[in-house]
Every structure is written in structure tokens, then in C-alpha cells.
Amino acid sequence: MKGPSADPDACAAAAGRLWPVATYRAALFFCLWLVLAGVDVADLPAAAAAIAAATWTSLHLLEPSRARRSVRAIARLILLFLYHSVVAGADVAGRALNPRLPLHPGFVTYPSRLSPGLRQNVFTTLTSLLPGTVPAGEEDGEIVYHCLDIRQPVVTDLAAEELALVQALYND
């Protein structure tokens, strides 16, 4: 039996889906190059090599997805993240400036529904930016978070962040 890579039609279809993604990523890397290095004609050979290498690497490390990205869901994720950042940042600042406010540090576990690997790493990276909680490892398949105050609704907030992330990026 032939594998999918041996079928010429399957290879052509895969290549047809790959070119738009590769072009989009190369354009993003080109914009990044312009921001970091500026516009100089003498840099074009180095820019072309760097963009080609970055695009090739990104296609091999982060394979293109068939998922449709929702602009509305991405905007909701950004707004939710900003809201939680401001609220949690104000809470942390208030605790730091007012020593009478008690801290109840500790650990909570969160049973993420995301598959281990890239998706869970994106989630823990996103949640590590929120003040007051830091991913601290994994225990029995659940993500362990260190929190400044375990009496806060940390698990509920993490569930809201995870749902927003899934709707924004992984709506397969």
C-alpha cells in the first residue's frame, strides 16, 4: 500500500496549501527584518537568506494548520487578557503597597483540556504573563500554578483564558 507521501496528487495538494502559508510567513519575517535592520539595499542578500531560513524553519517547527482564525475571537482573547492583567496587576500592587492585605500563597492545579506540547505551552506562556500566577510545573497531567492568593478564583480565570485561547487560535 502506498503512503500518503508517495501519492503525487496528495503531494501536489499539500504543496498547494503550503505556498500561501510560506508566502505569508516570509512577508511577516520581511517586515520583522525591516523593523530590526531598517532599509538598506546592501543588506538584501543577508535579508533574503535570513527570511528563507526563518520561513523554512517555521514551516518545519510549526506546521500549517487548517484551523480558521476568528478575528472576533482573537480580539476577545486580547481584551480578556488585558482585563485580567489590569485587575490582577492592581491586586498585586495593592498587596505590595498595603502590607495589611494578607497573602495566601500556594499552589493550585489546573486540568487543561489542551493537548500536551505546543498548545499547552502557548496556554502556559499566556497565563504566565498574568500577575499573581506562575505556571510551576505539571503533576498527574495537570498544570501546577503558584499563586499569590489561592482564595482568588484562579481556576475559573484560567478556564476563561483557555476557552478564549481555543476559540481564537484552535477552532479546528
Side-chain angles (χ1 to χ4, degrees):
M1 178 185 278
K2 288 183 181 180
S5 60
D7 183 8
D9 292 333
C11 290
R17 288 188 306 266
L18 190 62
W19 278 109
V21 173
T23 303
Y24 176 74
R25 290 184 186 185
L28 288 176
F29 289 127
F30 178 68
C31 291
L32 180 63
W33 178 275
L34 291 176
V35 168
L36 295 176
V39 179
D40 188 355
V41 176
D43 290 340
L44 282 179
I51 291 166
T55 303
W56 182 87
T57 302
S58 79
L59 290 171
H60 284 79
L61 294 179
L62 185 60
E63 293 180 5
S65 170
R66 291 188 176 141
R68 298 272 181 186
R69 305 295 188 249
S70 165
V71 175
R72 178 178 286 161
I74 291 171
R76 183 178 175 275
L77 174 66
I78 291 168
L79 290 173
L80 183 66
F81 176 77
L82 290 174
Y83 170 77
H84 281 151
S85 293
V86 170
V87 169
D91 181 59
V92 170
R95 291 173 191 278
L97 297 173
N98 186 354
R100 289 181 293 189
L101 283 176
L103 290 177
H104 296 324
F107 294 92
V108 298
T109 58
Y110 179 72
S112 176
R113 293 177 293 146
L114 295 170
S115 59
L118 179 65
R119 291 180 179 206
Q120 219 172 65
N121 290 345
V122 169
F123 174 67
T124 56
T125 300
L126 175 71
T127 57
S128 73
L129 299 173
L130 297 173
T133 60
V134 175
E138 190 176 314
E139 185 177 290
D140 299 326
E142 296 184 341
I143 304 170
V144 177
Y145 283 87
H146 180 269
C147 307
L148 287 179
D149 191 347
I150 58 173
R151 297 176 308 161
Q152 299 294 317
V154 175
V155 173
T156 303
D157 290 346
L158 290 170
E161 290 289 336
E162 182 179 47
L163 178 61
L165 179 68
V166 168
Q167 290 173 341
L169 301 181
Y170 305 125
N171 202 5
D172 297 321

